[in-house]
Amino acid sequence: MPRLIALVVFIVVVWALFNALFSGGRARRGTYRPRQSWEDLFGLRRSKSGDAGLAHVVKRSDLAGLRDAFSSAPLDPAKPLYRCAGCQSFFHHESVEVLGRENHHRCTVCNGTDIGPVNVVD
């Protein structure tokens, strides 16, 4: 009987730790928060893009309502924009400069390094 209780306690503790580590910090239900994948945790992340540094072509209408992933400012299609090839997050030029200085040119959302320019078309 004591072994059974110890086993149940062990399973509950392991489940609680697993849930705490991989819940992604979801504070509210229905709110999407990007989480690290197993590859990110162990440094095995492979680039999901085929050719690094290619320009992204985006319709102006697709940018409506989107925000800069670093500063949370509304995207301004008139300014130079950049996009992460891994998670498809958008950045203004100023945000990319800050990411270059302070985050080793890595995306704030997925930690990817393939952030390329965006060509906005009508």
Side-chain angles (χ1 to χ4, degrees), residues 38-114:
W38 284 98
E39 290 97 17
D40 292 337
L41 289 175
F42 299 109
L44 302 173
R45 183 175 185 85
R46 292 178 216 105
S47 176
K48 294 179 182 174
S49 62
D51 297 319
L54 291 180
H56 304 269
V57 179
V58 179
K59 292 182 185 177
R60 187 175 305 274
S61 60
D62 292 342
L63 296 174
L66 296 180
R67 295 184 168 270
D68 184 303
F70 179 74
S71 68
S72 296
L75 289 179
D76 182 5
K79 292 182 177 180
L81 297 175
Y82 293 84
R83 188 176 197 179
C84 175
C87 65
Q88 306 300 309
S89 297
F90 287 95
F91 300 95
H92 284 119
H93 180 71
E94 296 83 15
S95 297
V96 172
E97 287 180 343
V98 173
L99 291 174
R101 285 192 313 266
E102 299 179 10
N103 201 29
H104 306 288
H105 301 279
R106 295 190 171 276
C107 174
T108 57
V109 178
C110 71
N111 214 23
T113 56
D114 187 7

Side-chain angles (χ1 to χ4, degrees), residues 21-37 40 72 87 89 108-110:
L21 285 173
F22 299 107
S23 67
R26 289 176 275 189
R28 291 179 258 156
R29 289 194 173 266
T31 302
Y32 174 73
R33 301 222 193 301
R35 298 184 284 174
Q36 287 186 329
S37 66
D40 292 337
S72 296
C87 65
S89 297
T108 57
V109 178
C110 71

